[in-house]
């Protein structure tokens, strides 16, 4: 073995060069959707990482061109589209179609307007406040489905328009509404029904393409009726007023319309258009029966639909959709909230099966919850956190949330615990506790958990961010390598306050062996006028007695930290920042979610600053909110990222970020490969070598250094596979230079 290694002093320059040479990482941002098993009781969820559903709209289309109708779900809260392919008699979530559709907001409908066999996309203009209708034509290119925005020769601009007294107007569809796109007059082209701007009546926009012998690949519209069906919404309540005259609109003084959804349906099989209405002030559906006159005259209505079965009741402002759920050529009625705030966000999708064997509909409630029963869906805004809760060497999952809303409209906020019952390379998450630490009775409205050894006693403590910007501290008294055992909670921890919606992240940012507190927020720091930023509170205490100064203006505090500003825009105070710290082979890094639904990636430099690596990593966009958690779940050497989203669910990705250590694979400078385990470690590690059975007397020479290149431990003859005591080292990142004969290996580990 070469001489002189033991007394060698490795310079910071040499260390930096070595790290760069060995652990350089290309920022290709190749993130792929991942699926691992998740159990709820004895059931394995079909699509646990599809993202949850709050205000979904349901359409069907053959997305993968295999001849089967797939399920396309748009959630108006996040403006996110989820595609579930129909395979082997069930729906399977596939995130690869996320980029297929253009940006959609408010509503979307899939209908084939040009009779080419492909359903086209009708949407509200996404980048405009104009309450109108845009069309994206579907076509196939190189064997794949694509959508292209259409500009029509009749009218102006990129919206469907009509001529009225010599002027062109866009077909009116209010942003809260869902219109009906259907062939009202049964002439072979698609017409549009939508509520007018304020009067509570339905406009009938008739398509004249067939009448005038024009191509179906267009729209030439007229406002044929400003009171289709001759009914009107009441200005005083959610009642519907019918007319007694098929030629005269129902009378009702004033204006009322605030939001409605329209489902065209031939309920009685008489070939005319009946309607199911949802209303912004109503928790059910209203059935409008078309009497069948040439003027489409509403002759009867039914509230609390269906009256001959269990009526629809959800909280609140409902949309309804006809979907062939089981692919048996019979449509089911699917009902869900259409509101953007405050609606029911759990158990919120109802399916009514059609019991009639004829062309009529006879709906009956299916007791089985549709879609969400196979998802990890915990209401709204969920905060995942990986931690080895039972200290078995496997990463478990603790979830915080901003609350579940049921039929009774009450807010239920809690922590949820999933235990990893798999292995180091095959994780399996099993739901173990739906009320971890009993938070359902603590009346909190927001819980963002973070785990770390805050008090230096080698076990993992818990810090929780609250809606009021403050924190709860749970000291773990279980001891190192023991299952968690928390002391009574300490509320208003050290009087720290970050404004609103605290999202804590614990890390030793200045490498002094003490955990510092980095927290995101959702509203303004009152004395900084910065929304959605990060606040850094450095630990000025000791190893066993942490201390954070609550005064933002203290010299060792930084509010906002590194000038990170994640507000939606300079004109919008709505904001968010959700930081996640991790160690990769490239160094210390942060992923920070934002209110835009995107995630920024930063490198943490040695001078306590952040360097932006990527704005919107991998082009991911979750619509309205994103809270990342990072760990190598499957032991393949690459970090995995679980993202909590606005709709109460999660997306899971395999990233291209190399893990610091997996316990199985390490990069080397020579032909040999060494493994450090466990990594991260508490007070002991061992070093082994891959590809060779190690004899008891085989040894190597090792040098352990801190991040500045200072030598902390040295061993001339370390015997492989034996325990190495780290109890004298403070928490932090360390580098190990391993020398065997003429070969050298350079590894890294984290001590907590």
């Amino acid at each position: 073995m070469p001489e002189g290694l033991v007394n060698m002093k490795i310079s910071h320059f040499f260390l930096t060069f070595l790290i760069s040479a060995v652990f350089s990482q290309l920022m290709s941002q190749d993130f792929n959707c991942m699926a691992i098993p998740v159990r709820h009781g004895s059931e394995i969820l079909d699509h646990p990482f599809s993202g949850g559903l709050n205000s979904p709209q349901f359409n069907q289309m053959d997305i993968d061109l295999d001849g089967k109708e797939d399920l396309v779900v748009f959630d108006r809260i996040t403006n996110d589209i989820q595609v579930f392919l129909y395979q082997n008699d069930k729906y399977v979530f596939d995130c690869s179609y996320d980029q297929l559709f253009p940006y959609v907001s408010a509503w979307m409908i899939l209908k084939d307007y040009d009779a080419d066999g492909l359903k086209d996309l009708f949407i509200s203009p996404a980048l405009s406040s104009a309450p109108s209708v845009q069309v994206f034509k579907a076509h196939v290119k190189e064997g794949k489905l694509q959508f292209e925005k259409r500009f029509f020769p009749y009218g102006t601009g990129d919206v469907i328009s009509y001529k009225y007294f010599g002027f062109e107007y866009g077909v009116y569809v209010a942003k809260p509404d869902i219109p009906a796109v259907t062939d009202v007059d049964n002439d072979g082209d698609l017409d549009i029904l939508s509520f007018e701007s304020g009067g509570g009546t339905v406009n009938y926009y008739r398509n004249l393409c067939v009448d005038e012998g024009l191509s179906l690949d267009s729209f030439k519209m007229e406002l044929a009726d400003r009171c289709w069906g001759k009914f009107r919404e009441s200005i005083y309540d959610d009642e519907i007023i019918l007319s007694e005259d098929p030629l005269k609109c129902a009378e009702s003084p004033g204006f009322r319309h605030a939001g409605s959804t329209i489902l065209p349906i031939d309920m009685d099989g008489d070939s005319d258009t009946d309607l199911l209405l949802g209303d912004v002030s109503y928790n059910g559906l209203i059935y409008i029966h078309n009497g069948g006159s040439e003027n489409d005259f509403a002759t009867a209505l039914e509230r609390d639909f269906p009256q001959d079965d269990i009526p629809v009741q959800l909280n609140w402002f409902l949309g309804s959709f006809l979907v062939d759920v089981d692919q048996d050529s019979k449509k089911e009625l699917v009902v869900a909230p259409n509101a953007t705030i405050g609606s029911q966000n759990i158990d919120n999708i109802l399916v009514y099966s059609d019991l009639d064997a004829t062309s009529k509909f006879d709906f009956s409630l299916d007791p089985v919850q549709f879609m969400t029963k196979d998802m990890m869906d915990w209401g709204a805004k969920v905060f995942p956190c990986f931690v080895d809760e039972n200290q078995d060497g496997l990463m478990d999952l603790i979830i915080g949330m901003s609350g579940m809303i049921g039929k009774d409209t009450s807010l239920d906020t809690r922590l949820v615990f999933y235990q990893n019952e798999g292995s180091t390379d095959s994780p399996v998450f099993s739901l173990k506790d739906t009320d971890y630490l009993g938070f359902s009775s603590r009346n909190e409205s927001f819980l963002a958990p973070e785990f770390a050894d805050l008090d230096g006693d080698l076990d993992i403590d818990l810090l929780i961010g609250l809606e009021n910007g403050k924190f709860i501290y749970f000291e773990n008294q279980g001891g190192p390598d023991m299952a968690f055992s928390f002391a009574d909670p300490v509320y208003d921890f050290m009087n720290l306050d970050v404004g609103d919606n605290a999202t804590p992240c614990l890390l030793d940012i200045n490498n002094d062996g003490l955990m510092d507190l980095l927290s995101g927020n959702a509203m303004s720091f009152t004395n900084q006028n910065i929304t959605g930023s990060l606040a850094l509170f450095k630990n000025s205490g000791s190893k066993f007695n942490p201390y954070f100064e609550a005064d933002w203006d203290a010299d060792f505090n930084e509010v906002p930290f590194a000038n990170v500003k994640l507000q939606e825009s300079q004109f919008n105070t709505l904001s968010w920042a959700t930081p996640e710290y991790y160690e990769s082979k490239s160094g210390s890094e942060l992923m920070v979610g934002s209110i835009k639904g995107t995630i920024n990636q930063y490198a943490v430099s040695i001078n306590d600053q952040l360097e932006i690596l990527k704005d919107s990593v991998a082009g991911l966009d979750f619509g309205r909110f994103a809270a990342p958690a990072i760990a190598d779940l499957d032991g393949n050497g690459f970090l995995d990222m679980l993202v909590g989203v606005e709709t109460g669910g999660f997306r899971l990705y395999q990233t291209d970020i190399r893990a610091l250590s997996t316990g199985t694979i390490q990069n080397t400078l020579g032909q040999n490969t060494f493994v450090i385990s466990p990594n991260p470690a508490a007070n002991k590690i061992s070093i082994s070598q891959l590809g060779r059975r190690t004899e008891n007397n085989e040894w190597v020479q090792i040098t352990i250094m801190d991040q500045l290149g200072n030598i902390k431990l040295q061993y001339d003859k370390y015997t492989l596979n034996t325990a190495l005591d780290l109890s004298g080292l403070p928490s932090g990142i360390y580098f190990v230079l391993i020398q065997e004969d003429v070969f050298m290996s350079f590894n890294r580990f984290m001590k907590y």
Side-chain angles (χ1 to χ4, degrees):
M1 188 174 291
E3 301 292 333
L5 180 62
V6 174
N7 297 318
M8 167 179 76
K9 173 68 175 180
I10 300 182
S11 70
H12 179 66
F13 172 80
F14 174 75
L15 181 64
T16 303
F17 172 80
L18 200 55
I19 294 170
S20 298
V22 178
F23 299 121
S24 62
Q25 179 184 338
L26 297 177
M27 300 300 296
S28 60
Q29 297 292 300
D30 183 18
F31 288 16
N32 299 309
C33 282
M34 230 180 130
I36 60 177
V38 177
R39 292 196 186 104
H40 281 190
S42 60
E43 299 293 326
I44 295 181
L45 305 186
D46 285 340
H47 26 261
F49 302 110
S50 57
L53 297 171
N54 279 11
S55 293
Q57 301 172 19
F58 297 89
N59 286 272
Q60 283 183 294
M61 182 178 182
D62 183 7
I63 296 296
D64 56 356
L65 305 177
D66 67 346
K68 300 176 182 177
E69 291 266 278
D70 307 303
L71 189 64
V72 181
V73 185
F74 167 72
D75 199 296
R76 73 177 301 147
I77 287 183
T78 60
N79 299 325
D80 188 35
I81 295 175
Q82 301 152 281
V83 173
F84 298 82
L85 303 180
Y86 194 75
Q87 299 176 341
N88 300 319
D89 299 323
K90 68 177 184 180
Y91 292 105
V92 178
F93 174 67
D94 193 327
C95 77
S96 65
Y97 293 94
D98 282 2
Q99 306 302 316
L100 173 64
F101 296 87
Y103 180 77
V104 178
S105 66
W107 58 268
M108 63 171 283
I109 293 172
L110 288 169
K111 289 274 189 164
D112 182 8
Y113 79 91
D114 56 357
D116 65 350
L118 296 174
K119 291 183 179 179
D120 309 292
L121 177 64
F122 294 75
I123 68 170
S124 174
L127 303 178
S128 169
S129 60
S132 51
V133 181
Q134 284 183 333
V135 179
F136 286 75
K137 177 180 170 61
H139 62 96
V140 178
K141 183 178 180 179
E142 297 178 352
K144 295 183 179 180
L145 191 67
Q146 295 185 355
F147 290 98
E148 180 181 1
K149 184 191 290 189
R150 294 287 286 121
F151 297 82
F152 299 109
Y154 313 105
T156 58
D158 59 351
V159 300
I160 299 178
S161 62
Y162 68 98
K163 187 169 288 188
Y164 194 69
F165 287 103
F167 296 94
E168 291 284 343
Y169 300 91
V171 167
Y172 184 89
V173 180
K175 292 286 185 179
D177 292 3
I178 301 178
V181 180
T182 187
D183 188 2
V184 175
D185 53 2
N186 295 310
D187 67 348
D189 52 24
L190 291 179
D191 313 299
I192 297 175
L193 297 174
S194 68
F195 275 90
E196 65 170 320
S197 61
T201 61
V202 172
N203 285 340
Y204 170 34
Y205 300 96
R206 184 185 177 194
N207 192 344
L208 301 176
C209 285
V210 170
D211 299 79
E212 299 185 8
L214 304 173
S215 169
L216 288 179
D217 189 17
S218 187
F219 282 90
K220 187 175 184 180
M221 311 295 285
E222 68 170 0
L223 180 55
D225 194 342
R226 301 191 65 174
C227 187
W228 185 90
K230 307 307 177 209
F231 66 90
R232 184 187 295 270
E233 291 181 329
S234 169
I235 67 169
Y236 304 109
D237 49 39
D238 54 15
E239 291 291 337
I240 299 293
I241 301 171
L242 301 180
S243 173
E244 297 181 355
D245 186 345
L247 301 178
K248 184 178 180 181
C249 190
E251 295 184 1
S252 179
F255 300 89
R256 177 184 171 269
H257 180 71
S260 298
T261 64
I262 303 175
L263 174 66
I265 182 172
D266 185 7
M267 190 73 69
D268 50 6
D270 62 352
S271 300
D272 60 20
T273 302
D274 308 304
L275 301 181
L276 282 178
L277 301 182
D279 189 88
V280 73
S281 58
Y282 190 47
N283 289 347
L285 294 177
I286 302 172
Y287 168 50
I288 304 292
H289 173 67
N290 190 342
S293 76
E294 63 180 11
N295 296 304
D296 290 304
F297 180 46
T299 57
L301 62 85
E302 178 181 319
R303 294 178 62 83
D304 298 326
F305 175 87
Q307 291 184 351
D308 56 354
D309 197 81
I310 301 174
V312 172
Q313 276 292 305
L314 287 172
N315 173 41
W316 59 287
F317 186 20
L318 307 185
S320 56
F321 314 89
L322 287 176
V323 178
D324 187 0
V325 170
D326 50 8
Q327 304 281 325
D328 64 349
S329 300
K330 286 178 66 74
K331 298 277 182 99
E332 283 76 36
L333 178 67
V334 182
V335 186
N338 187 57
T340 56
I341 57 171
S343 61
Q344 187 172 336
N345 60 29
I346 58 170
D347 302 328
N348 58 344
I349 303 173
L350 303 180
V351 172
Y352 285 79
S353 300
D354 181 16
L355 303 181
D356 198 296
T358 69
S359 59
K360 300 180 181 180
F361 287 99
D362 181 14
F363 291 118
S364 178
L365 180 64
D366 190 333
V368 179
Q369 184 65 213
F370 182 56
M371 299 302 294
T372 55
K373 68 180 178 63
D374 286 310
M375 299 178 180
M376 296 173 69
D377 188 344
W378 296 99
K381 287 191 182 71
V382 283
F383 303 86
C385 187
F386 290 119
V387 64
D388 186 0
E389 201 273 349
N390 57 353
Q391 296 295 288
D392 63 352
L394 303 175
M395 281 296 180
D396 307 305
L397 176 62
I398 304 289
I399 297 167
M401 65 185 71
S402 60
M404 298 179 288
I405 302 176
K407 289 183 180 180
D408 62 357
T409 72
S410 63
L411 186 68
D412 183 0
T413 304
R414 55 184 69 191
L415 298 179
V416 177
F417 171 44
Y418 286 85
Q419 183 176 314
N420 189 345
E421 296 181 338
S423 62
T424 54
D425 58 356
S426 297
V428 178
F429 287 114
S430 181
L431 180 60
K432 290 298 183 182
D433 193 344
T434 60
D435 193 13
Y436 188 73
L437 300 180
F439 268 97
S440 65
S441 62
R442 298 178 187 266
N443 297 318
E444 298 293 345
S445 56
F446 176 99
L447 299 169
E450 171 71 348
F451 291 87
D453 181 12
L454 190 56
D455 56 5
D457 61 355
L458 302 181
D459 56 21
I460 307 299
D461 309 300
L462 170 61
L463 191 68
I464 298 176
L466 302 178
E467 185 178 37
N468 62 7
K470 300 182 179 183
F471 302 88
I472 306 174
Y473 173 56
F474 287 82
E475 181 188 355
N476 186 2
Q477 298 178 334
D481 305 320
M482 301 296 292
F484 292 179
S485 178
F486 293 112
D488 292 336
V490 178
Y491 280 79
D492 199 10
F493 178 63
M494 296 192 184
N495 296 314
L496 297 170
D497 187 346
V498 298
D500 282 295
N501 297 1
T503 53
C505 176
L506 293 167
L507 71 162
D508 184 5
I509 198 165
N510 53 359
N511 296 309
D512 62 354
L514 306 177
M515 282 292 174
D516 307 301
L517 172 60
L518 181 68
S519 180
N521 80 319
M523 300 299 288
S524 297
F525 294 111
T526 55
N527 68 339
Q528 297 287 338
N529 196 31
I530 300 294
T531 63
S533 58
L534 299 176
L536 175 62
F537 300 91
K538 290 184 182 178
N539 191 342
S540 61
S542 63
K543 180 176 181 180
F544 302 108
N545 292 289
Y547 178 74
F548 302 101
E549 175 57 59
D551 183 3
W552 292 347
D553 297 321
D555 291 340
F556 38 80
N557 290 341
E558 296 186 46
V559 184
F561 174 58
N563 293 315
V564 171
K565 305 173 186 178
L566 294 171
Q567 66 262 47
E568 190 174 31
S569 74
Q570 61 177 330
F571 307 107
N572 194 332
T573 59
L574 185 65
S575 56
W576 212 282
T578 55
E580 169 76 350
Y581 174 78
Y582 61 95
E583 286 287 337
S584 75
K585 295 237 172 122
S586 300
S588 302
E589 295 175 353
L590 281 173
M591 291 287 189
V592 184
S594 74
I595 191 64
K596 297 180 291 185
T598 57
I599 300 173
N600 291 356
Q601 183 183 23
Y602 301 89
V604 183
S605 67
I606 199 165
N607 60 352
D608 308 341
Q609 292 302 308
L610 299 182
E611 175 189 355
I612 184 71
L613 297 177
K614 190 71 176 180
D615 184 4
S616 184
V617 296
L620 299 176
D621 188 345
F622 305 99
R624 191 165 166 181
F625 168 82
I630 295 179
D632 183 5
L633 298 176
D634 54 6
N636 68 348
F638 293 89
L639 292 174
D640 309 306
M641 183 170 72
L642 181 66
V643 183
V645 298
E646 171 75 26
T647 46
F650 307 87
R651 296 287 184 87
L652 181 62
Y653 298 89
Q654 171 80 71
T655 80
D656 60 2
I657 303 171
R658 294 189 178 275
L660 176 61
S661 175
T662 67
T664 58
I665 299 176
Q666 285 284 346
N667 290 322
T668 66
L669 296 180
Q671 67 180 27
N672 297 317
T673 302
F674 292 89
V675 176
I676 298 176
S677 63
N679 191 0
N683 54 2
K684 292 181 180 179
I685 61 170
S686 65
I687 301 173
S688 59
Q689 189 175 20
L690 293 178
R692 184 182 77 189
R693 184 174 180 176
T694 305
E695 303 296 334
N696 291 333
N697 62 348
E698 293 191 41
W699 52 270
V700 295
Q701 189 172 7
I702 66 172
T703 302
I704 297 179
M705 301 157 285
D706 63 17
Q707 294 192 81
L708 296 177
N710 301 309
I711 296 175
K712 297 299 184 181
L713 294 173
Q714 292 179 315
Y715 293 87
D716 250 346
K717 292 186 177 182
Y718 165 75
T719 303
L720 295 174
N721 292 327
T722 61
L724 184 61
D725 186 11
L726 304 177
S727 59
L729 297 179
S731 301
I733 305 300
Y734 295 91
F735 302 93
V736 183
L737 188 64
I738 305 168
Q739 189 157 349
E740 182 193 32
D741 296 326
V742 298
F743 300 106
M744 231 178 9
S745 176
F746 194 72
N747 296 35
R748 183 164 58 169
F749 72 92
M750 180 170 66
K751 181 182 183 298
Y752 62 86

